[in-house]
């Protein structure tokens, strides 16, 4: 019903599960992920298993080696259930075999492009999943499906063996049901890899017992008063006040986030040049104006000077955001497209956290369905976002965990629950 997996790997899963059972019985524990079933976004190579990128032209593609993230999950003892769906070539939730659905309202999509990873995790089909983000592909489906998405600092997780969409923006990170679980998964993913030219050697630290009294959290009152801010957003802010963190009123700078468009479009068109020049892009399922085929074709008309100027602006954005995060450890806000774009440009990490639930009408699947403007209201998740300085993911997880404990009773859920492992 959710169409969240493109390929299921039952034989491999049973084999890996049996191996995990044997190792645990012998006293060899690989870590908190040992024996846990997970889903892998179908753009990370898995030897001998189809890796389709969600796109018809590549539906029969079978790699002969594992991606770095596949290998690191195997080394951690995680059990691969299969390859989760993504919108074709990492855009949206529409892939060659269907449209991935939101478990809270299957009449609408799960957003994308880590559509299957978010939907499958939310529905309990796997313990966690791996997603990727270039512009919003972890945070958006995590928000829609009510799970926790952690987009790491650019360069922290190797992308070797994963489909390249935009070399200077692509990132890989975990999608889980609870905040602290993302720390366990990121710890396994983290590490330098010479096979990825953007890979950085930087340790990952998370201490769940660290008090929040020394943590500074920025917030912008204007964003909380915006017409799009919800009751759940405001409840999350009230919960933030009880965590012990030091709140700092801070206006997030208004910067030209729109430069992400030309940068992404030009790099993506270069990555898929052969697809366009061969005409195989015509076999992609969606051919609407803002779908990849037409975006790739239009990218050839971007001016070289304009592209360079966008990159120069991007450098200024990096400097401005470095100044912001020198003032606070974390910035808190309702879901915000401009900050999502800006922090993707700068490489800063982000965490999307379920804040509550709101009643909304069905949202369209772009190019497939229409907005359900007259239909019934559905109770679906609503999220807030946290952003931090480079390599400060531990602070994001710490604060998100504290917010969960404060907010869970409002949902009728138990805030004290076993850890992922």
């Amino acid at each position: 019903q959710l169409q969240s997996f493109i390929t299921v790997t039952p034989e491999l899963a049973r084999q890996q599960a049996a191996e995990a059972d044997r190792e645990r019985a012998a006293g060899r524990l690989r870590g908190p992920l040992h024996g846990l079933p997970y889903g892998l976004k179908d753009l990370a190579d898995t030897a001998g298993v189809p890796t389709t990128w969600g796109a018809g032209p590549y539906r029969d593609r079978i790699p002969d080696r594992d991606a770095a993230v596949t290998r690191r999950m195997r080394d951690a003892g995680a059990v691969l259930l299969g390859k989760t769906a993504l919108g074709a070539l990492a855009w949206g939730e529409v892939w060659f075999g269907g449209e991935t659905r939101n478990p809270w309202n299957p009449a609408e999509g799960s957003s994308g492009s880590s559509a299957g990873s978010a939907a499958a995790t939310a529905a309990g089909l796997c313990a966690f999943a791996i997603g990727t983000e270039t512009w919003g592909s972890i945070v958006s489906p995590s928000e829609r499906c009510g799970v926790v998405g952690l987009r790491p600092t650019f360069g922290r997780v190797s992308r070797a063996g994963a489909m390249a969409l935009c070399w200077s923006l692509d990132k890989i990170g975990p999608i889980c049901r609870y905040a602290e679980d993302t720390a366990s998964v990121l710890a396994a993913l983290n590490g330098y890899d010479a096979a990825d030219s953007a890979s950085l050697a930087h340790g990952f630290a998370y201490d769940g017992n660290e008090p929040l009294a020394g943590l500074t959290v920025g917030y912008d009152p204007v964003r909380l008063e915006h017409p799009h801010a919800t009751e759940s957003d405001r409840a999350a802010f009230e919960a933030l006040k009880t965590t012990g963190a030091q709140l700092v009123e801070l206006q997030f700078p208004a910067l030209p986030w729109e430069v992400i468009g030309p940068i992404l479009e030009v790099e993506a068109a270069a990555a898929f040049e052969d697809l366009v020049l061969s005409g195989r892009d015509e076999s992609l399922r969606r051919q609407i104006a803002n779908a990849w085929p037409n975006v790739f074709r239009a990218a050839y008309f971007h001016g070289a000077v304009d592209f360079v100027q966008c990159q120069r602006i991007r450098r200024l954005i990096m400097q401005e955001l470095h100044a912001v995060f020198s003032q606070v450890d974390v910035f808190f806000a309702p879901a915000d497209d401009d900050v999502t774009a800006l922090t993707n440009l700068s490489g800063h990490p982000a965490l999307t956290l379920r804040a509550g639930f709101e009643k909304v009408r069905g949202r369209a699947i772009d190019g497939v369905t229409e907005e359900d403007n007259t239909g019934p209201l559905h109770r679906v998740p609503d999220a807030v976002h946290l952003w931090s300085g480079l390599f400060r993911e531990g602070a994001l997880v710490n604060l998100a965990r504290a917010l969960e404990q404060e907010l869970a009773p409002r949902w009728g859920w138990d805030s004290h629950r076993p850890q992922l492992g």
Side-chain angles (χ1 to χ4, degrees):
Q1 183 182 12
L2 298 179
Q3 301 178 61
S4 57
F5 279 82
I6 293 178
T7 301
V8 180
T9 55
E11 294 82 9
L12 178 61
R14 293 189 183 100
Q15 174 188 338
Q16 292 181 344
E19 181 181 2
D21 285 345
R22 288 192 296 269
E23 290 180 341
R24 293 176 69 98
R28 183 191 173 196
L29 183 62
R30 297 188 181 214
L33 307 185
H34 198 182
L36 293 185
Y38 82 103
L40 179 61
K41 188 173 180 178
D42 197 28
L43 55 62
D45 284 351
T46 309
V49 176
T51 301
T52 72
W53 304 346
Y58 304 99
R59 65 189 305 167
D60 297 322
R61 181 180 175 275
I62 301 179
D64 58 6
R65 64 180 66 185
D66 287 335
V69 292
T70 312
R71 186 171 62 252
R72 287 183 176 170
M73 286 293 96
R74 186 180 66 245
D75 291 344
V79 174
L80 179 63
L81 293 182
K83 310 300 287 293
T84 54
L86 67 154
L89 305 182
W91 177 65
E93 64 272 274
V94 178
W95 51 285
F96 65 82
E99 309 92 35
T100 304
R101 304 289 173 151
N102 180 3
W104 300 90
N105 176 18
E108 67 181 14
S110 63
S111 186
S113 67
S114 300
S117 292
T121 301
L125 303 182
C126 50
F128 67 94
I130 304 300
T132 70
E133 174 154 330
T134 305
W135 187 343
S137 289
I138 289 176
V139 301
S140 181
S142 295
E143 179 182 351
R144 178 72 61 92
C145 296
V147 289
V148 183
L150 178 58
R151 184 192 78 210
T153 301
F154 179 82
R156 182 185 276 286
V157 179
S158 172
R159 305 162 305 171
M163 185 201 88
L165 179 66
C166 181
W167 296 279
S168 70
L169 287 168
D170 295 343
K171 309 158 201 75
I172 298 176
I175 294 177
C176 303
R177 284 196 292 279
Y178 294 91
E180 197 165 45
D181 297 345
T182 64
S184 297
V185 181
L186 184 58
L189 292 174
N190 180 70
Y192 173 74
D193 183 4
D196 180 354
S197 60
S199 181
L200 299 169
H202 202 290
F204 171 67
Y206 167 72
D207 180 359
N209 295 314
E210 185 177 355
L212 295 180
L215 195 73
T216 55
V217 181
Y219 72 97
D220 187 343
V222 174
R223 294 176 185 269
L224 290 165
E225 296 164 3
H226 193 278
H228 293 304
T230 65
E231 288 301 315
S232 296
D233 296 331
R234 288 183 276 271
F237 181 66
E238 292 303 313
L240 180 63
K241 296 177 181 178
T242 69
T243 62
Q246 178 183 346
L247 271 59
V248 178
E249 190 171 321
L250 178 66
Q251 183 178 1
F252 204 90
L255 297 168
W257 60 266
E258 295 89 349
V259 299
I260 195 173
I263 292 171
L264 170 56
E265 291 161 12
V266 169
E267 289 197 38
F272 288 99
E273 182 180 29
D274 179 68
L275 183 72
V276 175
L277 298 184
S278 67
R280 291 182 297 136
D281 58 337
E282 296 179 4
S283 65
L284 289 170
R285 186 174 164 204
R286 282 201 284 196
Q287 298 287 332
I288 57 178
N290 63 336
W292 279 139
N294 286 312
V295 171
F296 291 162
R297 296 161 193 158
Y300 284 84
F301 296 94
H302 280 295
V305 173
D306 291 339
F307 180 75
V308 171
Q309 298 291 38
C310 287
Q311 294 288 14
R312 294 178 68 204
I313 293 171
R314 180 183 188 180
R315 178 68 179 178
L316 295 175
I317 289 171
M318 291 178 178
Q319 293 171 343
E320 289 284 340
L321 296 197
H322 179 71
V324 168
F325 290 113
S326 67
Q327 300 175 61
V328 295
D329 297 308
V330 175
F331 185 75
F332 165 96
D336 202 306
D337 291 341
D338 65 334
V339 182
T340 295
L342 289 169
T343 51
N344 267 299
L345 283 164
S346 65
H348 286 84
L351 186 145
T352 300
L353 177 72
R354 179 182 54 247
F357 297 86
E358 300 291 334
K359 290 185 177 181
V360 301
R361 290 186 168 85
R363 290 160 285 194
I365 302 175
D366 197 8
V368 176
T369 65
E370 300 293 330
E371 295 284 348
D372 187 6
N373 294 320
T374 60
L377 294 171
H378 299 269
R379 186 172 180 265
V380 295
D382 188 49
V384 291
H385 292 187
L386 306 175
W387 297 271
S388 74
L390 300 172
F391 300 105
R392 293 297 312 280
E393 290 89 347
L396 294 178
V397 176
N398 250 332
L399 183 61
R401 177 174 177 253
L403 286 172
E404 276 180 343
Q405 291 177 335
E406 293 294 330
L407 290 168
R410 295 184 71 249
W411 316 327
W413 294 359
D414 183 4
S415 61
H416 302 284
R417 52 120 215 156
Q419 294 185 18
L420 182 147

